[in-house]
Amino acid sequence: AIPDLEVGCFALTNLALGAELALPFTGDPLRFRFNFCSPDNPFALTIYCLGGGGSFGISLGLDGVEEIDASFEFGAEISLDFGVASGGVHIMAGFKFMLTKVATGDDIKLTGYLRIGGSLSVMAIISVSIELDMSLTYENNAGTKRVYGDATLSFSVSLLFFSISFSTSVHKEFADPVLGFKDYLEHGEQDWELARLAYAWA
């Protein structure tokens, strides 16, 4: 662990460094891993109502890079209290990146996401909360590419001893835009329909 750094409205907390050396006796190469915080325990950066956090890790061997994982999140959160009513709103955005070396090539996964939500409570009698979570992911599994998006909307209401929650999700898979655009350029065809289909929903 590293001591927290706090100066006025600036705070950098939950810092940690880690290192690991693996010396297998199975014939596999020597491996070393270094990490700055971790996905399960990221660092936190706060400036006034703005904040974020993240982590970074890399695994190396005598045969090269074995794995890289990185994540970062940033956004804002505001709390309000009017006596009889209190609540808050938040908006957070970030990305997660993962590269893993496998026998058939490199597995790459990059996800960008956005979370927006808020809650309101009136005299502890009624409370309402809503959360929207959206993400877009690109995957390349040893040459097999995928692009897909997910969105989840959650809503809940509590009134005294009665409560109800609702959640709905949408998943969309995209046609491969990189492959479609590459084919379009290689053939040199002025076919706008091909370009449109390359970016259409799968």
Side-chain angles (χ1 to χ4, degrees):
I2 301 176
D4 296 340
L5 176 61
E6 299 184 14
V7 180
C9 61
F10 175 88
L12 187 59
T13 60
N14 204 35
L15 302 175
L17 292 175
E20 178 181 329
L21 180 66
L23 180 60
F25 296 95
T26 59
D28 293 334
L30 177 77
R31 300 204 181 279
F32 174 78
R33 177 171 177 80
F34 168 81
N35 66 278
F36 175 65
C37 301
S38 67
D40 296 331
N41 195 26
F43 71 86
L45 171 64
T46 304
I47 305 175
Y48 290 113
C49 64
L50 304 177
S55 64
F56 175 80
I58 183 170
S59 298
L60 303 169
L62 295 179
D63 54 346
V65 176
E66 180 185 46
E67 183 179 272
I68 297 176
D69 61 85
S71 64
F72 184 72
E73 183 180 69
F74 57 91
E77 183 171 354
I78 300 175
S79 298
L80 302 173
D81 191 345
F82 301 103
V84 295
S86 62
V89 295
H90 64 269
I91 177 170
M92 303 297 293
F95 72 88
K96 298 178 181 178
F97 174 78
M98 173 70 74
L99 183 148
T100 305
K101 183 179 180 181
V102 295
T104 55
D106 292 336
D107 286 350
I108 299 174
K109 184 176 182 179
L110 176 63
T111 300
Y113 62 89
L114 174 68
R115 291 202 313 268
I116 304 174
S119 61
L120 175 66
S121 177
V122 180
M123 298 181 64
I125 298 176
I126 182 172
S127 61
V128 181
S129 66
I130 186 169
E131 179 91 13
L132 176 62
D133 192 342
M134 299 180 292
S135 66
L136 183 64
T137 301
Y138 168 78
E139 285 187 358
N140 185 344
N141 295 325
T144 302
K145 301 180 178 67
R146 293 177 60 208
V147 179
Y148 58 89
D150 293 285
T152 302
L153 177 65
S154 303
F155 179 78
S156 66
V157 178
S158 298
L159 177 61
L160 293 178
F161 304 106
F162 173 78
S163 65
I164 184 172
S165 298
F166 171 78
S167 178
T168 181
S169 299
V170 176
H171 175 84
K172 289 292 185 179
E173 193 109 4
F174 296 86
D176 189 343
V178 177
L179 181 61
F181 192 61
K182 180 181 178 182
D183 290 343
Y184 178 75
L185 293 177
E186 287 179 349
H187 289 86
E189 300 174 352
Q190 298 300 316
D191 187 351
W192 295 106
E193 182 65 11
L194 177 61
R196 185 187 68 82
L197 291 176
Y199 291 88
W201 298 101

